[in-house]
């Protein structure tokens, strides 16, 4: 009769203590690839930012070309720059994937190597990176991506547009003497000036509040992640 199977648990393989030379070489090539991909997407981010800056410059030139020129281009360019912001936020989510992976390798692989510490394949960062390759996903939400681009780039563009628009109302065709002149100059066809100015104030207040709220979300997320600062 065959002997009964042993009830002894199968011993688990011992954890590996360090990377082999071939594995370190593979990780070095992996790092180069992630840096390259993040650089490509960084270039795409710069392209949409350049579009926003150029269109704002064109609107400024058209608005201040003469004292009689309409301030309407500054209103329209605000809508156009908003579209560029949405495009760039979508691109930023892709960029952040490659940036986060490259940054994780820098902080948890190369930095300990430079300090002379032992590199083990069983560390927390190796599992984090491996899971990110097995189940790739965005590291931040679309709203947080919009908030980041607002705080770092587009908030300044919107601020310049607001100053330029209200400056145009204040000085052209002649400096203001009464508040009633503001509503007259801001009117767009059948739309009264009070409504146009109020819409502008609400627009700029909304993006400022959005940037602040998403910043608070960023801070809370960093506290949750603690030391895992790279993936996010």
């Amino acid at each position: 009769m065959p002997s009964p199977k042993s009830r002894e648990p199968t011993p688990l393989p011992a954890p590996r203590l360090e990377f082999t030379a071939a594995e370190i070489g593979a990780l070095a090539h992996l790092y180069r690839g992630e840096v390259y991909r993040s650089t490509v997407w960084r270039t795409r981010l710069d392209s949409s930012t350049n579009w926003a800056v150029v269109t704002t410059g064109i609107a400024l030139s058209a608005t201040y070309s003469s004292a009689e020129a309409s301030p309407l281009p500054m209103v329209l360019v605000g809508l156009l720059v908003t579209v560029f912001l949405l495009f760039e936020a979508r691109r930023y989510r892709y960029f952040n994937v490659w940036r986060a992976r490259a940054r994780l390798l820098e902080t948890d692989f190369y930095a300990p190597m430079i300090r002379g510490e032992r590199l083990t394949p069983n560390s927390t960062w190796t599992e984090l990176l491996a899971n990110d390759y097995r189940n790739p996903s965005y590291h931040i939400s679309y709203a947080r991506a919009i908030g980041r681009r607002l705080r770092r780039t587009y908030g300044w563009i919107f601020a310049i547009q607001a100053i330029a628009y209200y400056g145009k109302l204040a000085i052209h065709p002649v400096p203001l003497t009464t508040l009633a002149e503001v509503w007259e100059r801001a009117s767009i066809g059948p739309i009264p000036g009070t409504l146009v100015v109020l819409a502008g104030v609400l627009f700029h207040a909304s993006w400022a509040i959005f940037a602040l709220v998403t910043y608070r979300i960023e801070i809370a997320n960093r506290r949750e992640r603690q030391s895992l600062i790279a993936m996010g």
Side-chain angles (χ1 to χ4, degrees):
M1 294 179 64
S3 59
K5 294 183 179 179
S6 173
R7 297 178 180 271
E8 294 294 329
T10 303
L12 297 175
R16 295 171 53 194
L17 299 180
E18 59 184 9
F19 287 105
T20 64
E23 290 170 339
I24 292 177
L27 284 173
H29 287 294
L30 177 65
Y31 172 72
R32 291 176 59 190
E34 297 296 357
V35 169
Y36 172 76
R37 290 199 286 188
S38 66
T39 301
V40 170
W41 281 92
R42 177 74 240 186
T43 302
R44 298 194 68 184
L45 290 179
D46 292 340
S47 297
S48 52
T49 302
N50 291 338
W51 298 342
V53 171
V54 169
T55 53
T56 299
I58 294 173
L60 281 170
S61 299
T63 300
Y64 284 88
S65 60
S66 67
E68 291 76 23
S70 172
L72 181 59
M74 294 307 305
V75 176
L76 298 179
V77 78
L79 301 177
L80 186 59
V81 171
T82 301
V83 174
F84 292 149
L85 170 61
L86 298 179
F87 288 166
E88 185 162 323
R90 180 174 58 85
R91 294 175 177 180
Y92 182 83
R93 297 182 76 194
Y94 284 98
F95 160 76
N96 190 63
V97 172
W98 322 128
R99 178 209 63 82
R101 291 174 178 174
R103 184 60 180 158
L104 185 63
L105 286 169
E106 291 171 352
T107 58
D108 293 75
F109 178 71
Y110 285 104
M113 183 187 299
I114 294 172
R115 289 196 300 262
E117 300 175 3
R118 172 175 288 183
L119 299 173
T120 65
N122 312 292
S123 302
T124 304
W125 72 269
T126 59
E127 186 66 23
L128 181 65
L129 186 61
N131 289 336
D132 195 60
Y133 279 111
R134 291 193 191 103
N135 306 296
S137 62
Y138 295 121
H139 298 153
I140 61 173
S141 65
Y142 191 53
R144 286 176 58 192
I146 294 174
R148 284 189 183 182
R149 301 317 297 159
L150 267 173
R151 291 190 300 272
R152 298 176 183 178
T153 304
Y154 283 80
W156 300 102
I157 298 176
F158 284 137
I160 292 173
Q161 291 174 0
I163 293 171
Y165 175 76
Y166 293 112
K168 172 69 175 181
L169 298 181
I171 65 174
H172 282 169
V174 293
L176 286 174
T177 56
T178 64
L179 186 59
E181 295 179 4
V182 175
W183 318 130
E184 181 182 352
R185 297 178 184 183
S187 61
I188 302 175
I191 304 176
T194 52
L195 185 59
V196 175
V197 172
L198 179 60
V201 172
L202 291 176
F203 171 76
H204 291 288
S206 63
W207 69 252
I209 294 172
F210 188 88
L212 178 61
V213 170
T214 52
Y215 177 71
R216 298 295 297 271
I217 295 175
E218 291 274 353
I219 297 299
N221 182 262
R222 289 173 187 173
R223 289 173 181 170
E224 291 178 1
R225 286 187 285 116
Q226 296 180 356
S227 61
L228 300 179
I229 60 173
M231 307 300 280

